[in-house]
Amino acid sequence: MVQKYQSPVRVYKHPFELIMAAYERRFPTCPLIPMFVASDTVNEYKSEDEAIHVIERRCKLDIDAPRLLKKIAGVDYVYFVQKNSLNRRERTLHIEAYNETFSNRVIINEHCSYTVHPDNEDWTCFEQSASLDIKSFFGFESTVEKIAMKQYTSNIKKGKEIIEYYLKQLEEEGITFVPRWTPPVACKLESSTSHPRRPVSPAINIPDSATKEGLSNKEILNTTSSPSEPTAGTPDDKLDADYIKRYLGDLTPMQESCLIRLRQWLQETHKGKIPKDEHILRFLRARDFNIDKAREILCQSLTWRKQHQVDYILDTWNPPQVLQDYYAGGWHHHDKDGRPLYVLRLGQMDTKGLVRALGEEALLRYVLSINEEGLRRCEENTKVFGRPISSWTCLVDLEGLNMRHLWRPGVKALLRIIEVVEANYPETLGRLLILRAPRVFPVLWTLVSPFIDDNTRKKFLIYAGNDYQGPGGLLDYIDKEIIPDFLGGECMCEVPEGGLVPKSLYRTAEELENEDIKLWTETIYQSASVFKGAPHEVLIQIVDASSVITWDFDVCKGDIVFNIFHSKRAPQPPKKDSLGAHSITSPGGNNVQLIDKVWQLGCDYSMVESPLICKEGESVQGSHVTRWPGFYILQWKFHSMPACATTNLPRVDDVLASLQVSSHKCKVMYYTEVIGSEDFRGSMTSLESSHSGFSQLSAATTSSSQSHSSSMISR
């Protein structure tokens, strides 16, 4: 497995030339890096005007590895080749390094760059990336990987300290300023009559964008941009190390790397709204910074948020009056760590009455709004207290809890809420204080604890009776001035007191079902399950030719093949899939098959679009202008990867393939619409679909246009 590292942007508040003077003092050896024994110059080039300086060194390293491993490998030292390409005109330094020792067994590549800060020409930015690929190493591959990562991480931590050490050394010698490079007089005269770019030796590896005259500092930092294109500033597309420390906390170099790589992957593949950095970090923490696992649950959560319009819940959804009157919970100041404090008087709440009056969907949506408000309050407190705050504290008072709270539908609703919150708001609970736990509490705890993540359970503090008033109690976590009055404090708490919900507000089962649909499916999308051997199909009847069928769907799970067929005769009434092994358990998921088994392609029905293979996480939009009236069938079919496929996939496809589950079940979320010919205006270009605004999770942006059917599919 290839290990990768990507650093944040580290900023030195010193000019580029002074940083270069400090950097050069690291050679031929650096006492601050004990493993760096020596270095020899093997190749060097300087341009006539001294603007370009390329130097190649062979570095000797004494790796801190077990003596037995060194003996087996037959080496005492490891050699690396480092090439530095300095461009004084453009004020950039690009560094490339690779291992010479064991290059047929281990592949190590490192790329670093020093550039001018895009917003302050007197500051210098540093970035670093590296990869490690151990092919084989005498059966010690895992050991060597751990040693290499440990050594590399320790050197990363020292990197900034070393530059600052030599900057201080220069200052002690009276060197606080190094003049910028200026072209020689002869060069200036020549530049007035000829192009200033000079021929460069092939050994020099300088990006084209860094060798053009007149390029701004911001364009140098973003080397992929052309001079005529606007470029984004560092805060928008790159993470600054100081920003990470201020707003996200102290992260190890590898944790920073995981955050940057996952964030970069989202920028490249997710064309909608990118989650905030602290939200991405929560998913990484929930999976112990395993980037693949974090990516999987984050992608699932983004699709879920789109399906249920969670991002707009605070602005578009008003809780029913019953919740406002009888839900005994609310926000109440903050704890001693600055975390927002949420108070829930569960013992005073009529859970059965709330479920009977509203249904579990309304309760779930209300809890989601609470969590969204919690995220907002964390951002505010981060600014107020000047330190990262990414979670909140929840105080649960169980005074009054009894057997009526163990009503089965109520417990079921609670378990579902826990499941949804655990999946979509990981690492948001900083501490849970459970007060005045009665004797019936162990029964409730036994029911709900299996659904709570182990890391979350470690944050629970449970107090029976009045134990919360003693040592190690509430005063250790909450200031005395804000302890609620119902717990013996002096602060008036505006949380509703709860109480029994009047039975006159109860709804019938039918009313609740209709209300659930209204509350929870306020979306134009439908969900469908696709099984191996059992595709999901949608029938669209077209009366007038030249009508336009449009579609928009997300592949939530598995890989599928999307087809469009036409038939002159109507298929039999839809049959729900009844395969025992493929029973539908997800809400809203269905499976409808329309094409009869005896129908023959080309005889009973025809294909009007080429099949489109869609990977898990992709969002697909498109349209088809119909040529004939009749019946059109949109089909989502299970896609199996060929067993003999050995070709290398693009990077993002590799990622998505790694997330593919072994189950023979896929899930899609889709929306279709027919635009009548009388309502259609303009050319097909007016119907061209862009990337889905919020759930696009695929890097594939290909389109398929077929002139004979005037159709277009875009992903």
Side-chain angles (χ1 to χ4, degrees), residues 359-369 416-417 420-421 520:
E360 65 176 84
E361 297 295 338
L363 282 176
L364 176 56
R365 176 158 289 198
Y366 190 54
V367 173
L368 296 184
S369 70
R416 185 185 175 197
I417 290 171
V420 171
V421 171
W520 199 238

Side-chain angles (χ1 to χ4, degrees), residues 188-453:
K188 290 181 179 179
L189 293 174
E190 181 184 348
S191 65
S192 64
T193 58
S194 63
H195 197 282
R197 183 186 296 178
R198 296 179 178 274
V200 181
S201 167
I204 301 175
N205 184 17
I206 303 292
D208 289 341
S209 60
T211 59
K212 296 178 181 178
E213 284 287 342
L215 207 58
S216 70
N217 291 334
K218 185 175 289 188
E219 289 164 341
I220 293 172
L221 187 66
N222 299 277
T223 56
T224 58
S225 300
S226 65
S228 61
E229 293 175 340
T231 56
T234 302
D236 294 331
D237 49 24
K238 295 181 180 179
L239 289 184
D240 182 283
D242 294 335
Y243 161 82
I244 290 177
K245 187 173 183 179
R246 166 64 179 82
Y247 291 98
L248 304 179
D250 291 320
L251 304 179
T252 68
M254 296 312 297
Q255 289 174 345
E256 289 178 339
S257 175
C258 289
L259 172 62
I260 293 167
R261 288 164 54 201
L262 182 53
R263 184 177 184 268
Q264 184 178 7
W265 183 84
L266 286 168
Q267 288 175 329
E268 293 172 354
T269 62
H270 179 58
K271 301 305 179 182
K273 179 181 177 183
I274 301 297
K276 295 182 178 179
D277 298 323
E278 51 266 38
H279 197 58
I280 299 174
L281 187 59
R282 290 185 182 103
F283 283 87
L284 283 166
R285 282 180 170 142
R287 291 299 179 266
D288 294 325
F289 286 88
N290 182 312
I291 193 168
D292 292 327
K293 293 181 179 180
R295 177 163 36 214
E296 180 177 4
I297 61 174
L298 177 56
C299 288
Q300 293 171 353
S301 180
L302 290 176
T303 300
W304 170 84
R305 293 181 73 88
K306 175 186 176 181
Q307 182 177 7
H308 300 300
Q309 304 175 13
V310 177
D311 280 86
Y312 311 105
I313 195 170
L314 292 179
D315 300 323
T316 61
W317 186 71
N318 293 318
Q321 191 62 43
V322 176
L323 279 172
Q324 299 180 42
D325 294 339
Y326 295 99
Y327 189 91
W331 295 98
H332 179 76
H333 301 286
H334 55 80
D335 68 4
K336 287 187 174 181
D337 294 322
R339 296 189 185 104
L341 177 63
Y342 190 83
V343 174
L344 180 64
R345 303 185 68 179
L346 185 60
Q348 303 300 314
M349 195 157 61
D350 181 10
T351 53
K352 180 178 180 179
L354 288 173
V355 173
R356 290 290 300 272
L358 298 166
E360 65 176 84
E361 297 295 338
L363 282 176
L364 176 56
R365 176 158 289 198
Y366 190 54
V367 173
L368 296 184
S369 70
I370 292 170
N371 280 270
E372 291 297 307
E373 174 67 16
L375 296 177
R376 187 184 66 80
R377 287 175 177 263
C378 284
E379 292 182 29
E380 292 179 353
N381 286 17
T382 295
K383 297 175 183 177
V384 170
F385 292 100
R387 61 178 182 272
I389 295 172
S390 61
S391 60
W392 52 82
T393 292
C394 186
L395 187 156
V396 180
D397 179 26
L398 297 183
E399 177 73 11
L401 188 77
N402 54 43
M403 292 303 293
R404 67 183 170 86
H405 290 91
L406 301 182
W407 179 58
R408 186 171 178 179
V411 174
K412 176 187 173 185
L414 177 60
L415 295 180
R416 185 185 175 197
I417 290 171
I418 291 174
E419 185 178 12
V420 171
V421 171
E422 283 280 304
N424 298 285
Y425 299 92
E427 298 297 315
T428 54
L429 182 65
R431 183 179 294 117
L432 179 64
L433 302 170
I434 299 177
L435 310 183
R436 303 197 280 194
R439 292 184 178 181
V440 74
F441 173 72
V443 180
L444 181 62
W445 178 248
T446 301
L447 292 172
V448 302
S449 61
F451 295 87
I452 301 173
D453 181 78

Side-chain angles (χ1 to χ4, degrees), residues 152 173 187 396 406 409 632 660:
Y152 192 73
E173 296 174 8
C187 184
V396 180
L406 301 182
Y632 286 79
Q660 178 66 37

Side-chain angles (χ1 to χ4, degrees), residues 663-675:
S663 170
H664 296 311
K665 177 181 176 180
C666 303
K667 188 175 181 181
V668 294
M669 184 177 70
Y670 68 92
Y671 165 70
T672 62
E673 184 180 7
V674 177
I675 302 176

